[in-house]
Structure formats: C-alpha cells, structure tokens
Amino acid sequence: MTKSITTSSEIVFIGAGNVATNLALALRDAGLNIRQVYSRTTESASRLANQINTEAITDLSQVVRDADFYIYCLKDDVLRQVPQWKMPFSQGIHIHTSGTCGIEVFREAGCREYGVFYPFMTFTREKRADCSRIPLFIEGSDDVTEGQMEILARFLTVHIYKLDSQARAKLHLAGVFANNFTNVMLTIADDIAHSAGVDISLLMPLVQETLDKAATGNPFRNQTGPAVRGDKGTINAHRRLLAGHAKELEIYNILTDYIENRK
C-alpha cells in the first residue's frame, strides 16, 4: 500500500465481537472510514454495522477488494483457518488482533502486506474501553508495512510497542494470569463473601491496594497472608472452611504451596 493513511482510508472488519466493536468504534470516532463489517451471522454483523453506520455482510465473497486495511478480530481457531478462505489477500494490509496466533497465518494465506495489532486489554461490547489508554503491540511483515500500521495505530493510542509473535504469546499468557485468573479468583472470593453475608464491593479497597502495590514492580515483594508467613494454623482453618468445596480447596492448596515454595 503506497498511499498515505488519512481519514479517507478505508477499513474492513472481519469479525464483529468484543474486540471488533471496541476498535471499530474508536477508529470511527477518530474519523476513519469503516467500510464494511463481516460476521457469519446477520445479527452480529448488523449490530456493529448499525453502530458505525456502515455495511453489514455475512459472505466473504462480499468483502470489497480495494480497502486499505482488513482487521481480523476472530477467535484463534477461526483465524488459523484463514489460509483456506477465498479472500482478496493481495490487496491492502491484513491485520489480526490475536495474542497467540502468529503472523505467519497471513503469509500462508498469500498476503503481501500483513501484521498484528494486539491491544492488551479485556473487552466487552457492553462497556467501551478507552483505547487511548491501552498499550497496543504491533508486528508487521516488513518495515514499510509496520510503519503504515503504526500510523494507523496512532489513531487509537500513543502507547504503541513493537513485539514479535513469540514474545506476544508470552505476553498473552501473562495477561491470562493477570486478568482471567484474577477474575476467577474474585469470583471465588465473591462466593465466599456472599456466604458470610458480605457484598463483594467491600473487598474492592483490598483489591485496589493490591493492584497499586503490584504496579510499583516485583509484586511478590509485597506478598502477604498466611502462606508467606508460614501460619499453619490459619491455613488449616481455611482448609476446614473449604471442606465440601473440592475444587476451591484444590486451588487454595496449589496457590498456598506455590507461595510457600517461592519464598
């Protein structure tokens, strides 16, 4: 792609889920032209297309062949099938947003210009994220393509970092621990607090203090609790409270053992 990236540049979104919704709305608000939204279902494609006043399509044969960017916001197992799709891979820059799928998926599809936009954030359709605050990790098939991608990225955020596929996969794993596993820990905490008649909102000052300390670096330095103290009496009391909750007890024991042995 040789022409400069402006608000007249055209973008096609392949996928219309949580990530696509947030990125498409942010790019629309930045003045860029979202030309089409593709999804396998009319409901999903139309929901996002109606929000940004563009065309909804449900057949890959309907994808325009002269867009500047094609942004794929798909589940990894679907993204890995892209080389088998009949798409206009020779036109525009093709970009996916996966943390774990490598850049080679587009090379295998026969693309000439391609790359990855990995927004390091959890997204939902219902709550728009402030993309200007999100770190965005990019990788391009060559320096020129990566430069074009960086220009596009600046319509979203100034927090842009270059990261290859191997490092990005490790970052994604870190994100699973930091976000997905943390959230399920909070789910268990909510269940336990609820059984005591306490609302989870009362745990939030504790959670926020933990996050604030972690942000200073080396989170384990700030580790507190019975496991790091070697308080066997409290640990055993907790185990008794979890009697009858086999899965939660297993998680408690694994994490307690990890903390005790990391010291």
Side-chain angles (χ1 to χ4, degrees), residues 141-167:
S141 54
D142 55 71
D143 290 343
V144 173
T145 300
E146 195 167 81
Q148 295 277 27
M149 291 172 55
E150 185 170 355
I151 294 170
L152 177 64
R154 292 194 181 282
F155 283 92
L156 290 168
T157 180
V158 298
H159 306 290
I160 302 166
Y161 307 89
K162 296 180 181 180
L163 205 64
D164 64 26
S165 293
Q166 184 177 7

Side-chain angles (χ1 to χ4, degrees), residues 185-204:
M185 291 298 101
L186 290 173
T187 300
I188 295 171
D190 184 31
D191 291 341
I192 296 171
H194 184 74
S195 71
V198 176
D199 188 83
I200 192 173
S201 63
L202 297 179
L203 277 67
M204 289 304 104

Side-chain angles (χ1 to χ4, degrees), residues 22-213:
N22 279 270
L23 293 186
L25 288 169
L27 289 171
R28 186 279 313 271
D29 290 349
L32 290 170
N33 179 15
I34 313 300
R35 186 166 173 184
Q36 290 178 318
V37 172
Y38 163 84
S39 180
R40 288 176 293 181
T41 67
T42 301
E43 178 185 4
S44 185
S46 297
R47 178 172 51 226
L48 177 52
N50 289 339
Q51 286 181 270
I52 56 179
N53 192 29
T54 195
E55 178 186 11
I57 57 174
T58 57
D59 192 320
L60 289 169
S61 66
Q62 298 173 293
V63 174
V64 295
R65 296 179 178 268
D66 58 348
D68 300 291
F69 294 95
Y70 299 83
I71 301 180
Y72 297 67
C73 302
L74 303 169
K75 294 179 180 178
D76 286 357
D77 57 348
V78 177
L79 189 58
R80 293 187 181 99
Q81 298 170 15
V82 167
Q84 284 74 55
W85 290 6
K86 293 182 179 179
M87 282 282 291
F89 293 115
S90 61
Q91 301 297 317
I93 296 178
H94 295 257
I95 301 168
H96 75 64
T97 59
S98 168
T100 57
C101 191
I103 196 172
E104 69 278 355
V105 67
F106 290 128
R107 183 171 62 248
E108 294 167 1
C111 294
R112 291 187 297 196
E113 300 172 296
Y114 52 90
V116 180
F117 267 16
Y118 179 42
F120 198 52
M121 180 52 61
T122 177
F123 293 106
T124 61
R125 289 192 186 99
E126 296 73 23
K127 183 180 184 297
R128 282 191 63 184
D130 180 0
C131 287
S132 67
R133 300 176 60 246
I134 295 173
L136 181 63
F137 296 87
I138 69 172
E139 179 184 13
S141 54
D142 55 71
D143 290 343
V144 173
T145 300
E146 195 167 81
Q148 295 277 27
M149 291 172 55
E150 185 170 355
I151 294 170
L152 177 64
R154 292 194 181 282
F155 283 92
L156 290 168
T157 180
V158 298
H159 306 290
I160 302 166
Y161 307 89
K162 296 180 181 180
L163 205 64
D164 64 26
S165 293
Q166 184 177 7
R168 189 174 61 255
K170 292 180 180 179
L171 180 64
H172 183 269
L173 175 59
V176 168
F177 274 90
N179 173 247
N180 303 150
F181 292 169
T182 296
N183 191 68
V184 81
M185 291 298 101
L186 290 173
T187 300
I188 295 171
D190 184 31
D191 291 341
I192 296 171
H194 184 74
S195 71
V198 176
D199 188 83
I200 192 173
S201 63
L202 297 179
L203 277 67
M204 289 304 104
L206 173 65
V207 172
Q208 189 59 57
E209 179 67 12
T210 303
L211 295 176
D212 289 345
K213 287 179 178 177

